[in-house]
Structure formats: C-alpha cells, structure tokens
Amino acid sequence: MNKTTITQTTSRWVVFILAIGAGFSVASIYYAQPLLPLMGADLHLSIEGMGMVPTLTQAGYALGILFLLPLGDRHDRRTLILIKSAALALFLLGCSVTGQLHSLLLASLMIGMAATMAQDIVPAAAILAPEGKQGKTVGTVMTGLLLGILLSRTVSGVVGEAFGWRVMYQLAAVSIAFIGVVMWAVLPRFAIHSTLSYPALMRSMEHLWRRYPALRRAALAQGFLSISFSAFWSTLAVMLLERYHLGSAVAGGFGVAGAAGALAAPLAGNLADKLGAGKVTQLGAALVTVSFALMFLMPAVGTHGQLVLIAISAVGFDLGLQSSLVAHQNLVYSLEPQARGRLNALLFTVVFIGMALGSALGSKVYAVAGWQGVVALTTVCGAIALIIRLIENARVMAMQVQNL
C-alpha cells in the first residue's frame, strides 16, 4: 500500500478508534492496582502475593515491548493488533475465573505482554497520518493511551467495589474484544518493511541503538521524565492518607486532574509539526520540572492550598510528560520509517525502566525524606531531562551551522 492510499484511508473516525484501542489496551495493566485487597480477600493471598500481581503485569509489558514490538516491522500491523486483542481478551477472561495464585500470576504476566498492542497502535497511527500531520495524529492517539493509564484505576476501583474484581476483568475482556474487532474493520492492511528473520530483527535493534545518537538521547530524556511521573504516583496515595487522612478515592481524583492535562496533548502534536519536535521536547521537560518545583511551596500555604498545588502540579506535569513523549516519538519515528516498530520498542523499553526505577526510588525516598524528598527527586529528574534536550538542541544547531 502506498502513502497516497493510506492517506485517503485516514479519517478522524479511524484516529478516534485507534485512541480508544490504545487507552483500553494499556488500561488492562493498571486495573489490578486498586483491586488487590479484593483479590487478596477472595483468594486468601499474602501481601507479597498481592504485590506480585502488578509486578508481573508490568514485567510482562516490558517483555512484550522488547520482544514483540519489533514484529511490527516484519508483519502486517493490522493482523498483529487483531491477534493481540484476541489474546488480551482471553487472558483477561482467564484472570476473572482463576482460583489460585499461580494461575493469577501467569494470567497477569500474559496480560502485560498482550497489552503491548497499545504500542502497535501508535506506530500505525504515525503511518496513517497525512503528510505534515503526524504530530497531531500521534498526539491524539497518545492522549487516549495516557487517559487509559490515568483513569483505569478510578474505573476499576468503582466497578470492583460495586460488583467485585472478577466482573471488572470480565468487562475489560469484552471491551478489548469489541475494540479489536472494530479496529480490524476500519484499519487498512499495512506494508511490510522488513524481511529479516526474527533473530536478525532482534539483532538489528542493537545496531539501531548504536547508529542513532538522537534515539539514545530521546530515550534517556523520556526515561528521566518517567522516573518523575512514577515516583509521584507511587507515593501520592500513601502521602494523602498519612498527612491528610484521605483515602484512595481522593488519589483517584488527582488522576482525573492529570487526565485534564493529558487532554491538551494534541496541541503538542500540532506544535511538533509547526515548531519542530526538538523544541517541544524542551518545552515539555521544562513544564514537568516547573510543575514539580511548585510543590516546594506547600509548607508556605494551608491544607487546602497544599491540595490545590498538588492538583495544579498533576495537570502541569502530565501535560508536559505527554507533550514530550509525543515529540520524542516523532523524533524517533523520523529516523528510519521502515524500522518504526523496533525504534518504538527501544524508546519504550527505556521509558518503562524509568517507570520501574521511579516506583522503587519514590518509595525509598519517601520513607527516608518524606514528601519533600519525593518532590526533590521528581524535580531533579525533570531538570536532568531538560538539560539533555538543551544539549541535544545545541548539538543540532552546531551541525546546522557547520553545514552552511
């Protein structure tokens, strides 16, 4: 299929469906978090057993990114999305009927791997985007993905409390099956860009990493932003309970505030198309840094003012993180369009390493230095990402001057 045919196929409806598909699929790896007490009571799990559920789900997602995403360059992405949606729906359904820890953990691992269909959808959106509109299209789909991350906990908590954790997984299975069929119906077939064998495809990822310094810098900068993001969200609920005696529902409310920031992310895609992706990555990293730094003012205001500062920070850093991610994806995709799947896999492998580090570091820093320590950690990581982007911009400008 040539670019003209693909562009003619593109419509706002298709982009909307892709955004929903990305959101539903990535939400599957976060549904368990507020449901863990319900799972533990039902299956008589220890605290360590409950903790293994989200751990294996995230591990499955990381493994899927590294080992399954490169297949997008070797096979038709439409077919891959259908297969993964069918597998994800099956694993979610299997999780809902499990009666013991081992099968629950196995299902959690497989859910994480199959949920990487979200990362097949994003490169598909980039391919389908009309010329000059790639940033806007990717931004719209990434908004759906981030909304899935931010709102999944709220939805699963409400459904689980009202109907039980098994019903939540059954509803998730139905939603994935439905959106998978719809995407199969609306998406065109995608051209295959590589004839490499799977082992050769995996080896080529090492060559891509070494070949493109811009890829390494984009991944590193986004990785530091991910540390900030994960450190904040992994400690917020504990802090709200200890300091303000507020429950998980309020923590979910801050997730809604962050989602409001994510809704503005398509603007970042437009800016990337107009100003250049490099400039938007700097603006995004700066916004993340400033948003976290605002919380240093919390001791100077009253209780209500402190909660307002946290909400403002959540809106700001979610917008900055999303904007930077959309721009970084545009940068990475433009390096070698025929290798988008492998480039995306490399970028998001580093992103999820950052997520894991942020969760671990955030918890340890909170235990040692309290919330102000977490604020310092998130601000410093945001500033490091900004410095990386400023250095990269200076390097690019120097190369342009040399070429004049």
Side-chain angles (χ1 to χ4, degrees), residues 47 130 156 165 192 194 238 256 273 283 314 354 402:
I47 293 176
S156 65
W165 70 272
I192 296 172
S194 175
V238 176
V256 174
D273 292 331
L283 294 174
Q402 291 176 356

Side-chain angles (χ1 to χ4, degrees), residues 122-309:
V122 177
I127 294 171
L128 294 174
E131 195 69 32
K133 298 291 184 180
Q134 186 181 76
K136 180 179 180 181
T137 303
V138 171
T140 300
V141 174
M142 285 301 297
T143 297
L145 187 147
L146 191 58
L147 286 174
I149 294 173
L150 294 171
L151 298 180
S152 56
R153 301 176 182 91
T154 304
V155 172
S156 65
V158 171
V159 173
E161 185 173 340
F163 304 104
W165 70 272
R166 296 181 187 274
V167 172
M168 181 63 242
Y169 274 88
Q170 290 161 4
L171 290 174
V174 171
S175 69
I176 290 296
F178 174 76
I179 199 64
V181 171
V182 173
M183 285 191 290
W184 173 261
V186 302
L187 288 176
R189 295 183 63 84
F190 289 84
I192 296 172
H193 297 295
S194 175
T195 57
L196 294 174
S197 66
Y198 181 74
L201 204 62
M202 296 302 298
R203 287 195 298 270
S204 72
M205 291 174 66
E206 180 183 357
H207 298 305
L208 289 171
W209 182 260
R210 293 180 176 179
R211 181 177 181 182
Y212 295 113
L215 167 64
R216 298 195 296 271
R217 295 185 181 97
L220 190 60
Q222 196 65 42
F224 274 103
L225 294 178
S226 298
I227 292 175
S228 296
F229 178 88
S230 184
F232 175 88
W233 288 114
S234 65
T235 55
L236 177 65
V238 176
M239 185 276 291
L240 290 174
L241 180 62
E242 291 185 352
R243 180 178 291 191
Y244 305 107
H245 306 291
L246 298 173
S248 58
V250 176
F254 283 103
V256 174
L263 288 172
L267 297 176
N270 280 327
L271 287 175
D273 292 331
K274 295 176 182 178
L275 302 179
K279 181 66 69 175
V280 175
T281 61
Q282 294 175 41
L283 294 174
L287 182 55
V288 169
T289 306
V290 171
S291 297
F292 281 123
L294 277 177
M295 288 189 289
F296 281 120
L297 300 176
M298 288 174 61
V301 297
T303 299
H304 293 295
Q306 292 173 10
L307 295 174
V308 169
L309 276 176

Side-chain angles (χ1 to χ4, degrees), residues 88-148:
L88 181 55
L90 182 63
F91 295 140
L92 287 166
L93 188 61
C95 188
S96 75
V97 299
T98 186
Q100 55 181 343
L101 178 61
H102 292 95
S103 57
L104 175 63
L105 295 181
L106 178 60
S108 298
L109 179 70
M110 301 308 293
I111 285 170
M113 295 188 71
T116 55
M117 66 178 276
Q119 301 303 335
D120 292 304
I121 291 171
V122 177
I127 294 171
L128 294 174
E131 195 69 32
K133 298 291 184 180
Q134 186 181 76
K136 180 179 180 181
T137 303
V138 171
T140 300
V141 174
M142 285 301 297
T143 297
L145 187 147
L146 191 58
L147 286 174

Side-chain angles (χ1 to χ4, degrees), residues 217-218 221-222 225 268 271-272 276-288 320-321 323-331 382 385-390 392-393:
R217 295 185 181 97
Q222 196 65 42
L225 294 178
L271 287 175
K279 181 66 69 175
V280 175
T281 61
Q282 294 175 41
L283 294 174
L287 182 55
V288 169
L321 179 95
S323 301
S324 181
L325 181 56
V326 169
H328 276 136
Q329 285 182 293
N330 281 346
L331 280 172
L386 177 58
I387 291 170
I388 292 171
R389 292 316 313 170
L390 290 173
E392 174 70 1
N393 183 62

Side-chain angles (χ1 to χ4, degrees), residues 13 18 52 73 75 164 256 287 296 318 328 341 367-368:
W13 168 247
L18 290 174
M52 286 297 294
D73 295 330
H75 301 281
V256 174
L287 182 55
F296 281 120
D318 274 322
H328 276 136
V368 173

